[in-house]
Amino acid sequence: MRRDDWVERLHAVIEARQAVPFAYGVQDCGRFAAACADAITGSAWSQDLAREYVDERSALRFIGREGGLEAAVTRRLGPPVPPLMARRGDVCLVNGEPAIGLGVCLGERVVCVNDGGLVTYPLECVLMAWRVD
């Protein structure tokens, strides 16, 4: 269930990570999406991920054990919804540059981690979406 003040909490996470560059185990797509979901719902998804991986090698092993990125997110958030049904705060799989990764829907755009910090992509770049409730 979303917290009453989820919008403020989500924006605080985004603001705090705005200029933090991509780094596996610190500021990667999974950690970012998890931190946003935690802010919205009070879940502990980011703590779970912190126990699973700390760098690129352990992240890739974790994704392999999970059966892929899509399966890992589905296991935690439930079945995906059609991409254009993503709503603010939902986790999205985005076809962005330089790669496919997770982001968080802001409405018409999705915010994602990039080498220089956070970037946004249009909702049309979303391949899959998961409800964060």
Side-chain angles (χ1 to χ4, degrees):
M1 178 188 263
R2 290 186 178 208
R3 296 171 164 173
D4 291 338
D5 61 347
W6 72 267
V7 173
E8 293 83 11
R9 289 175 180 265
L10 174 61
H11 286 291
V13 170
I14 292 169
E15 183 66 29
R17 293 172 175 248
Q18 188 66 41
V20 179
F22 180 94
Y24 280 103
V26 179
Q27 170 81 331
D28 57 55
C29 71
R31 294 286 178 97
F32 175 68
C36 290
D38 290 353
I40 292 167
T41 66
S43 64
W45 188 17
S46 54
Q47 291 174 4
D48 294 342
L49 290 182
R51 287 189 290 272
E52 295 292 344
Y53 70 91
V54 296
D55 56 17
E56 181 177 12
R57 184 175 178 193
S58 57
L60 294 175
R61 280 197 316 258
F62 167 70
I63 291 169
R65 283 193 313 270
E66 290 284 317
L69 190 56
E70 296 168 24
V73 178
T74 298
R75 187 168 289 112
R76 286 154 183 83
L77 296 180
V81 297
L84 294 179
M85 290 189 69
R87 53 179 197 194
R88 196 165 48 150
D90 287 347
V91 171
C92 300
L93 185 66
V94 178
N95 185 12
E97 291 296 324
I100 293 174
L102 298 176
V104 175
C105 182
L106 298 178
E108 296 294 317
R109 300 200 55 88
V110 179
V111 62
C112 302
V113 178
N114 198 316
D115 289 340
L118 299 180
V119 297
T120 63
Y121 295 98
L123 200 56
E124 291 77 29
C125 292
V126 174
L127 302 171
M128 303 178 83
W130 293 266
R131 292 278 185 239
V132 174
D133 288 320

